[in-house]
Amino acid sequence: MKRILSLVLCAGMVLIGGSGCGKSAKDTPYQKTNIAMGTMVTQTIYAEGADELASHIDILLQQLETEELSYRLPDSKVSKINQSLGNGETPVIQAPLDTYIQDCLKLWEQSDGALDITLGKVVSLWNIDTYSANGGEGFEVPSKEAIEEALSQAGMEKIHLQNNLVPQDDQTTQQNSQPSSQFTFDGPVSLDLGAVGKGIALDRIHDVLMEGGASAAIIQVGGSVLTYGEKPNGQPFKVAVVNPLDTGKQLGYLSLKGQWCVSTSGDYERYVEKDGVRYHHILDPKTGYPVDNELCSVTILAKNGFLSDALSTACFVCGTKTGMELAKACEVEALFVNKNGELTMTEGMQKIFVENKQ
Ligand code: AMP
Ligand code: MG
């Protein structure tokens, strides 16, 4: 329960408004909240048979975590890739993971290395997810040597895209099969797609809503929110942004119509405090330590979940100035909150964000 409460309080955004509960009709939203992908999931769906759609989404999230993305669960595709790399084999990476990795490679380049999905060993070494969930019990700052060692096995320059090769079959390694991997790796890097997982989930959920004929929905998966369709009353969706300096309060909200994805990365989402220092879950790939800049949160508004999630992490690592340039280059809207509570926004965000008057 403690864990669930902390997830509710720490999710980067909250959904505002919505009425009705548990009904399934086109003009009354069906609402459901549970835990999936290690975080709080809130679904508000306007559709005939919305309860079935919500169950479908539950199963989708469960499968996405256990079968595809989790680096902690041994049977997921990401874990199998990591195991292959650890055994010195070249893994076969199939769709859609290959596309996610390619898209991450592009953003790694564009962000000058800020988004790096090969940090798995460094992330595991810090293990902030576990310690933030158990209140920091037993947490020790890893030694400099251990961080350097883990960091030496990271870096997306170690991933090479082989352009003309296409996956052929369902095997996990190249042994006994045609050369079919699209990627080769220099050494046993360890993939962690935690920075993009919730956004990928939103993109998959979008497809389920569309196929299921939903007229409108607002779905929150941890720090990422999808808005979809138009509410029966024609009113915009309101996606609140948490005040990172006082997580029980809201800074304001984004007023949105139609399909959007909003992701927030913040130093308050998962962290441990030790000797007065906050160690949070977003790491600087250059140092292997939690990012230590002027920021405490970044919110990105984009047309798809992958981009919003990837860029909220990347822009947090980059800091306000470079992060603003990155957001503009990627044609997304961004809101940066620094440790003094000052806001910096792209032009488009200024039109959409409604600040709470305190
Ligand atoms: P997010 O909450 O979307 O910003 O993602 C943070 C998660 O991504 C962490 O819990 C790690 O699993 C992973 N991660 C941490 N730092 C980075 C980074 N610089 N690049 C990519 N993934 C990261
Ligand atoms: Mg992210």
Side-chain angles (χ1 to χ4, degrees), residues 194-196 265 309-310 312-313:
V196 292
S265 290
D309 198 2
S312 68
T313 309

Side-chain angles (χ1 to χ4, degrees), residues 309-345:
D309 198 2
L311 284 174
S312 68
T313 309
C315 288
F316 189 98
V317 177
C318 287
T320 313
K321 190 170 175 293
T322 314
M324 275 290 267
E325 287 164 13
L326 179 61
K328 283 180 192 162
C330 295
E331 297 180 345
V332 300
E333 303 304 335
L335 161 65
F336 297 78
V337 187
N338 73 16
K339 291 186 168 113
N340 296 323
E342 292 155 354
L343 311 187
T344 306
M345 288 180 256

Side-chain angles (χ1 to χ4, degrees), residues 36-39 41 60-66 68-71 78 97 100-101 104 115 117 192-205 220-225 261 263 265 270 304-313:
M37 298 182 82
T39 193
V41 175
L60 169 90
L61 293 177
Q62 166 81 9
Q63 287 178 340
L64 187 61
E65 183 182 25
T66 57
E68 296 188 54
L69 296 184
S70 173
Y71 75 92
V78 166
L97 255 183
Y100 301 147
I101 296 173
C104 286
L115 180 85
I117 56 161
D192 166 20
L193 273 71
V196 292
K198 315 285 188 296
I200 289 171
L202 295 189
D203 293 336
R204 300 271 186 97
I205 290 169
Q220 174 162 11
V221 183
S224 291
V225 176
C261 290
S263 293
S265 290
R270 294 171 191 216
N304 74 69
F306 177 90
L307 202 57
S308 68
D309 198 2
L311 284 174
S312 68
T313 309

Side-chain angles (χ1 to χ4, degrees), residues 38-162:
T39 193
M40 183 67 86
V41 175
T42 306
Q43 305 187 44
T44 303
I45 302 177
Y46 297 81
E48 297 291 349
D51 50 347
E52 279 171 34
L53 272 181
S55 302
H56 196 135
I57 289 169
D58 287 340
I59 295 167
L60 169 90
L61 293 177
Q62 166 81 9
Q63 287 178 340
L64 187 61
E65 183 182 25
T66 57
E67 296 173 17
E68 296 188 54
L69 296 184
S70 173
Y71 75 92
R72 290 177 185 277
L73 301 174
D75 291 332
S76 76
K77 290 192 171 154
V78 166
S79 281
K80 295 224 166 104
I81 291 168
N82 289 343
Q83 286 156 25
S84 292
L85 288 167
N87 294 335
E89 297 162 351
T90 301
V92 172
I93 301 176
Q94 293 169 317
L97 255 183
D98 58 344
T99 311
Y100 301 147
I101 296 173
Q102 281 189 41
D103 290 344
C104 286
L105 269 169
K106 281 186 211 145
L107 284 177
W108 169 75
E109 255 183 64
Q110 233 176 330
S111 68
D112 195 21
L115 180 85
D116 190 327
I117 56 161
T118 65
L119 288 171
K121 291 203 171 74
V122 192
V123 171
S124 297
L125 180 67
W126 283 96
N127 205 6
I128 297 290
D129 282 9
T130 302
Y131 290 116
S132 74
N134 78 359
E137 209 178 304
F139 173 76
E140 294 292 342
V141 177
S143 71
K144 203 166 158 278
E145 292 71 29
I147 290 171
E148 276 168 12
E149 168 62 22
L151 203 54
S152 73
Q153 294 180 45
M156 290 189 75
E157 71 283 354
K158 296 188 172 71
I159 306 182
H160 306 285
L161 181 60
Q162 311 295 306

